[in-house]
Amino acid sequence: MIQIGLTGWGDHPDLYSEVTSAKDKLFDYSGHFPVVEVDTSFYAIPRKEHVEKWCKDTPENFSFVLKAYQGMTGHLREDLPYETRNDMFNSFIECASTFRNKLAMILVQFPPWFDCTAKNVQYIRYIKQQLQAFPIAIEFRNQTWYASNMKGKIFDFLEENELIHTICDEPQAGVGSVPFVPIATSTKALIRMHGRNVHGWRNIGHGDNWRKVRFLYDYNREELQQMAHHIETLRSQGKQVFVLLNNNSGGHAASNAKLLQSMLRLQFNGLSPKQLNIFEGEF
């Protein structure tokens, strides 16, 4: 009922053996966690042969959360590298279909300027129509969706359309961030933990290094214990809970995830053989 993983599998050196090559990192990763977010799909839709290899390299019960391509979410303001919008969606649908039963959901993360308007609600309906064959998680990054006069309506809208509300733990840094609201609108619940680095989130004075600073955060035990409580509450409501840690900048995501797993007394079965047991006995 609870699965914990990380965003991406290429930036977590503590999980790999000394001889692990880049192409084998996913195999080593899948010896530690049962789920991963495919974040590279935000920048370019993965090729079918790559997806097939990822599925082959992971255990039978391993699952993927596939992040929607930036052209689908409004992040890409330049010309799309597709002739039509339908071509773009069809290419993404072909990619998502290749995962078959290993696809837990598609994560549709909207940009900070995607605010709560009738036009944008209609676009979410369009996304649902295009991706109707898959479970869809919606992540907002604009506080207007959680305004007191709108929050209840939005949660009803997500539930009526069988859309998964992405529960975000992130810095509270103005309208371009959202509050932590542990409410599930589907049988699946998705929690994404971005860290709480307010200064980094605002991208003040970091120039080209903003990506490295934005998710630079190490959760302490008290913070993880609070998160464990919310996860248990969702589980007790009969939800299948997916937790993804995105605080990768300083290499803290893997150790934070392991500690959270220990607090929840979770034992993940059916993982790949571990190549490195660096975390054993630490928690």
Side-chain angles (χ1 to χ4, degrees):
M1 294 293 289
I2 301 173
Q3 295 190 38
I4 297 175
L6 313 176
T7 57
W9 59 82
D11 298 320
H12 314 290
D14 290 344
L15 302 181
Y16 318 131
S17 69
E18 295 179 357
V19 297
T20 301
S21 63
K23 65 182 179 63
D24 294 325
K25 284 184 176 181
L26 178 55
F27 177 83
D28 276 15
Y29 173 97
S30 63
H32 295 271
F33 299 108
V35 61
V36 73
E37 177 185 309
V38 182
D39 52 1
T40 55
S41 54
F42 176 78
Y43 302 100
I45 298 174
R47 295 165 59 180
K48 183 176 181 179
E49 55 265 34
H50 291 164
V51 176
E52 290 174 341
K53 183 181 185 304
W54 299 340
C55 292
K56 181 180 178 181
D57 287 348
T58 51
E60 183 178 355
N61 60 348
F62 190 86
S63 56
F64 294 87
V65 174
L66 180 64
K67 194 170 184 179
Y69 175 59
Q70 60 183 332
M72 299 161 54
T73 58
H75 286 84
L76 190 61
R77 302 185 183 190
E78 304 168 357
D79 291 337
L80 294 175
Y82 295 91
E83 289 190 9
T84 68
R85 180 185 285 182
N86 280 341
D87 288 341
M88 174 180 64
F89 272 96
N90 288 338
S91 179
F92 187 85
I93 290 169
E94 181 182 8
C95 167
S97 299
T98 307
F99 286 95
R100 297 182 177 86
N101 62 338
K102 286 194 173 186
L103 183 66
M105 66 188 73
I106 293 171
L107 168 64
V108 181
Q109 180 195 78
F110 290 109
W113 54 87
F114 189 84
D115 55 356
C116 186
T117 63
K119 177 183 177 182
N120 287 338
V121 169
Q122 195 59 32
Y123 187 71
I124 296 174
R125 292 185 188 276
Y126 173 77
I127 289 280
K128 169 66 177 179
Q129 181 184 36
Q130 292 294 312
L131 304 177
Q132 58 184 310
F134 311 98
I136 303 168
I138 300 294
E139 179 174 347
F140 297 118
R141 286 229 167 144
N142 186 292
Q143 284 189 1
T144 57
W145 297 95
Y146 296 90
S148 58
N149 63 326
M150 292 302 301
K151 185 167 65 173
K153 297 177 184 178
I154 295 304
F155 285 134
D156 287 345
F157 166 75
L158 294 176
E159 187 170 1
E160 289 167 4
N161 287 275
E162 298 180 330
L163 295 167
I164 301 163
H165 168 235
T166 302
I167 302 162
C168 294
D169 184 74
E170 63 188 38
Q172 297 307 291
V175 70
S177 58
V178 298
F180 181 79
V181 183
I183 295 177
T185 56
S186 179
T187 56
K188 293 181 178 180
L190 175 62
I191 298 176
R192 297 184 80 228
M193 298 171 60
H194 299 296
R196 301 177 183 180
N197 185 346
V198 176
H199 187 65
W201 194 264
R202 287 175 173 162
N203 187 24
I204 300 174
H206 300 303
D208 294 338
N209 293 322
W210 71 270
R211 291 185 187 279
K212 295 181 180 179
V213 179
R214 187 177 178 89
F215 303 109
L216 182 60
Y217 193 78
D218 186 9
Y219 284 94
N220 62 42
R221 281 182 171 268
E222 182 180 357
E223 291 167 338
L224 290 174
Q225 195 64 63
Q226 292 170 349
M227 191 62 62
H229 171 73
H230 292 298
I231 293 169
E232 283 284 13
T233 300
L234 289 166
R235 183 202 59 78
S236 69
Q237 296 170 359
K239 308 301 182 183
Q240 185 179 9
V241 188
F242 294 83
V243 184
L244 298 170
L245 283 85
N246 192 34
N247 55 326
N248 298 329
S249 298
H252 301 115
S255 58
N256 286 175
K258 287 286 183 175
L259 181 52
L260 182 59
Q261 177 186 347
S262 176
M263 289 176 172
L264 290 164
R265 297 179 176 84
L266 296 176
Q267 182 67 43
F268 300 129
N269 299 315
L271 301 176
S272 295
K274 280 191 177 68
Q275 302 298 309
L276 183 63
N277 295 322
I278 190 170
F279 291 107
E280 286 190 1
E282 289 192 6
F283 307 109

